[in-house]
Amino acid sequence: MAKKKRGKKPSLGDINNKLDVILTGQRKILKEEKNVEREEKNVLEEEGEELAEEKKVEGETEEELSELKKLERLEKEIEKQTETHPLRKITYKDIARGAVGAFFGSVAHYTFLYGIEVAEKLDMVRASVLYLLSFIIGAVFLYVTGFRKIKDVKVLAFLPIRLIVLYITSILMAILVLYFFHPEFGNSFILSFKQVATVTLTAILGACTADLIGKGE
């Protein structure tokens, strides 16, 4: 039988070539791993920058919201300071309401008839005092029921103006009621003066009541 030929033994050069190939492959792999690591590091850095930017934006948004809230509070304070208080303005509607109240105060239960009867027994001094008393009662009534809880000095300073308007309205309505319901009214100035004085007292109460009730509308 023929003998099998033995394989050729690898030479040292072949081994070195193979080792070089292996080393080269390993270096390539390491290089790729380093590239991957750098890319991952870059990605992490970019994510970190994005997070930092998001936090910065969130911080700016919170600051803007805080500023907006401050501006809203400031606007409300300005509106509160500049808005007209209901008791600081007098309109035709207020005068009409006071006139209606004064009218019903004068004619309710025929009050004016009692006023006419009382007026015949009054002298001019007492009648004049009655005018003053009506004014004072109106002031007390307005203050206690409408202005007492108000702390704003500017609004309180408006009390005399509002009172004067309602007082004049009450006197005019007292004259009107007496003119329509008492034919002899106006024949005597002195007697008419005293009659208006007695009727004005109930008229001012009716006017103030109607005026303050209207503020709840």
Side-chain angles (χ1 to χ4, degrees):
M1 292 178 64
K3 292 184 180 179
K4 292 181 179 180
K5 292 182 180 180
R6 295 181 180 179
K8 186 180 179 181
K9 291 183 179 180
S11 63
L12 185 59
D14 294 335
I15 294 172
N16 289 331
N17 290 333
K18 289 181 179 180
L19 289 173
D20 290 337
V21 171
I22 293 170
L23 290 173
T24 302
Q26 289 179 344
R27 289 193 191 97
K28 187 177 180 180
I29 292 170
L30 290 173
K31 186 177 180 180
E32 290 176 355
E33 289 178 351
K34 288 181 180 179
N35 291 334
V36 172
E37 289 178 356
R38 280 197 298 270
E39 290 178 359
E40 289 178 349
K41 186 177 181 181
N42 292 333
V43 170
L44 290 174
E45 288 177 354
E46 290 176 358
E47 289 178 351
E49 291 176 357
E50 289 178 357
L51 289 173
E53 188 67 24
E54 288 178 358
K55 289 181 179 179
K56 184 179 179 181
V57 172
E58 288 177 358
E60 292 176 353
T61 303
E62 289 178 357
E63 289 179 2
E64 290 177 357
L65 290 174
S66 178
E67 289 297 324
L68 285 173
K69 288 180 180 179
K70 289 180 181 178
L71 288 174
E72 288 177 357
R73 285 196 297 268
L74 184 61
E75 287 178 359
K76 288 180 180 179
E77 290 178 1
I78 292 173
E79 288 177 358
K80 187 177 180 181
Q81 292 176 359
T82 56
E83 68 179 355
T84 303
H85 193 281
L87 295 175
R88 288 185 62 186
K89 60 180 180 180
I90 296 178
T91 63
Y92 290 112
K93 185 178 179 181
D94 296 321
I95 296 174
R97 186 187 295 114
V100 172
F103 177 80
F104 282 105
S106 301
V107 301
H109 303 291
Y110 299 100
T111 306
F112 68 95
L113 294 178
Y114 295 102
I116 292 171
E117 183 178 346
V118 172
E120 295 176 354
K121 302 175 183 179
L122 287 178
D123 55 27
M124 289 295 289
V125 175
R126 287 189 174 87
S128 299
V129 172
L130 198 55
Y131 278 105
L132 178 61
L133 182 62
S134 298
F135 187 85
I136 294 173
I137 289 175
V140 173
F141 193 91
L142 274 183
Y143 177 77
V144 172
T145 57
F147 285 81
R148 181 170 55 87
K149 295 182 180 180
I150 297 175
K151 305 299 181 181
D152 191 347
V153 178
K154 294 180 180 178
V155 178
L156 287 174
F158 199 75
L159 172 61
I161 299 174
R162 193 167 200 86
L163 175 61
I164 290 172
V165 171
L166 292 175
Y167 182 69
I168 293 174
T169 302
S170 300
I171 292 176
L172 293 176
M173 288 306 300
I175 293 173
L176 190 64
V177 168
L178 289 168
Y179 177 79
F180 278 107
F181 293 98
H182 186 54
E184 297 179 1
F185 177 75
N187 293 339
S188 170
F189 173 78
I190 294 176
L191 183 59
S192 297
F193 180 85
K194 293 188 290 184
Q195 289 172 345
V196 172
T198 56
V199 177
T200 297
L201 183 60
T202 55
I204 188 69
L205 292 176
C208 292
T209 302
D211 179 72
L212 292 173
I213 290 175
K215 295 307 154 194
E217 296 178 356

